[in-house]
Amino acid sequence: MGLISSILGHASEVDAEKLEQEFEGLLIPDENIECAFHLFRDLTVFTNLRLILVDKQGLTGKKREYVCIPYKSVDYFSIETAGRLDMDSEIKIWVKSRPDPIEMEFKRGGNILEVFRALSQHCL
């Protein structure tokens, strides 16, 4: 993915095999990364057991927050596509025992439908 695309908020698919080494310490036995999407500096990873949201923080991005959501904990999710005046799209994920949804924002032209399709395949 090019720098301009990432700055513009275009999600792009990441090679799951390349992430296996980075996530080796986080994954449990028999858990595999099935697909992942890069959005600016953040990462959304779908394994066969859970959704992992990676928030890279700080100037260098070395500090990271990993939010792990078992698919069985997802109550529901929604997609809001960009309109004429609203240039952003977003996916919202409501998780059990959490009043507010987790929000993922995308700019117009991003691969929001691919991310939504992956979420649907794992949660439904």
Side-chain angles (χ1 to χ4, degrees):
M1 175 171 74
L3 178 62
I4 299 300
S5 289
S6 67
I7 289 173
L8 293 176
H10 298 173
S12 65
E13 194 160 0
V14 179
D15 184 9
E17 290 182 14
K18 291 181 180 178
L19 291 177
E20 292 283 346
Q21 199 170 38
E22 179 181 341
F23 282 81
E24 185 177 25
L26 294 172
L27 301 178
I28 62 173
D30 298 324
E31 182 177 21
N32 302 308
I33 295 175
E34 294 185 346
C35 63
F37 296 91
H38 204 263
L39 180 63
F40 191 46
R41 290 176 11 156
D42 298 339
L43 195 60
T44 303
V45 179
F46 293 90
T47 75
N48 56 322
L49 302 175
R50 60 184 161 165
L51 173 65
I52 303 173
L53 305 175
V54 183
D55 179 17
K56 293 183 180 179
Q57 303 171 358
L59 291 175
T60 62
K62 290 189 180 206
K63 180 178 177 181
R64 297 175 184 184
E65 177 184 15
Y66 295 89
V67 177
C68 299
I69 304 167
Y71 296 123
K72 65 182 180 182
S73 295
V74 175
D75 277 337
Y76 58 98
F77 48 94
S78 69
I79 184 172
E80 180 181 303
T81 58
R84 270 193 186 178
L85 299 176
D86 185 10
M87 302 299 279
D88 296 334
S89 301
E90 60 185 30
I91 291 177
K92 293 181 183 176
I93 304 170
W94 282 266
V95 179
K96 291 177 182 160
S97 75
R98 186 176 174 152
D100 297 322
I102 296 169
E103 297 182 19
M104 301 165 56
E105 288 192 23
F106 299 80
K107 301 296 179 194
R108 182 185 294 274
N111 295 339
I112 189 169
L113 294 178
E114 289 181 33
V115 176
F116 191 78
R117 187 176 305 113
L119 183 60
S120 298
Q121 287 175 340
H122 288 87
C123 291
L124 299 179

